[in-house]
Amino acid sequence: MENRDYITQLNPTNQLDKLRIYAEEHQVPIMDKVALELVKQTMRIHHAESVLEIGTAIAYSSMHFASIHDHMHVTTIERNEEMYHQAVKNVTNFGYDDQLRLIFKDAAEAFEQVNDREYDILFIDAAKAQSKKFFEFYSPLVRKGGLIITDNILYHDFVGNIEIVRNRNIKQMVRKIEKYNDWLKEQPGYTTNFIDLGDGMSISIKEI
């Protein structure tokens, strides 16, 4: 999955967004552009300086987070080896080595490598069936008043419309996401808003 030559040919203007072309060509799931801009603006409003991201892929979103300001530090975890190596190349090519820490590990096993600091934002964009586990596992690392953002909580608009789903595996996934969303609503110490933008996201404010 070599793309160094591809990157160097890009127009310097808005280079990060040109990675969308690469993602589409290689079927790499990345954030909806409008939803990404909302998350970045939310981070600005909350004066975030540290982000823990679960699910790096090609580092598209994590580099966008780092681009908010020079003091932003992003720790991002990826378990897919091919994606991880591609992310490392992209981070170097775009000049974000000083702001991003990439961890090659399953997120269920990476706690000891990332618990060296407190985070302003926890961004969950990994295996949808594991969102609850990641929330519980990593929320202690988020400061009081910090945010936990979960992407893709509508799962291509199937959540809330499960009757249109015919595939059994997808239906099971939708039920798990619906269960997670219901669980979020009831979490003590958190106020959660659900946003119908892109594939949907939840933003939980940690109040304790």
Side-chain angles (χ1 to χ4, degrees), residues 120-143:
D120 299 314
I121 308 287
L122 169 61
F123 183 72
I124 303 173
D125 188 19
K128 305 311 168 195
Q130 304 297 316
S131 293
K132 180 175 179 286
K133 178 192 293 185
F134 296 148
F135 189 108
E136 293 178 317
F137 201 43
Y138 288 105
S139 58
L141 300 182
V142 179
R143 67 169 175 82

Side-chain angles (χ1 to χ4, degrees), residues 7 118 133 177:
I7 294 297
E118 191 175 52
K133 178 192 293 185
I177 295 173

Side-chain angles (χ1 to χ4, degrees), residues 17 22 24 26 28 38 47 58-59 76 80 84 121 128 131 145 148 161 163 176 190 193 197-198 205:
D17 282 334
Y22 180 88
E24 290 172 5
H26 294 81
V28 178
L38 174 62
H47 305 289
I58 58 174
T76 179
N80 181 289
Y84 169 77
I121 308 287
K128 305 311 168 195
S131 293
I148 300 177
N161 296 289
E163 67 277 359
K176 288 179 180 178
Y190 292 90
N193 290 312
L197 189 65
I205 304 174

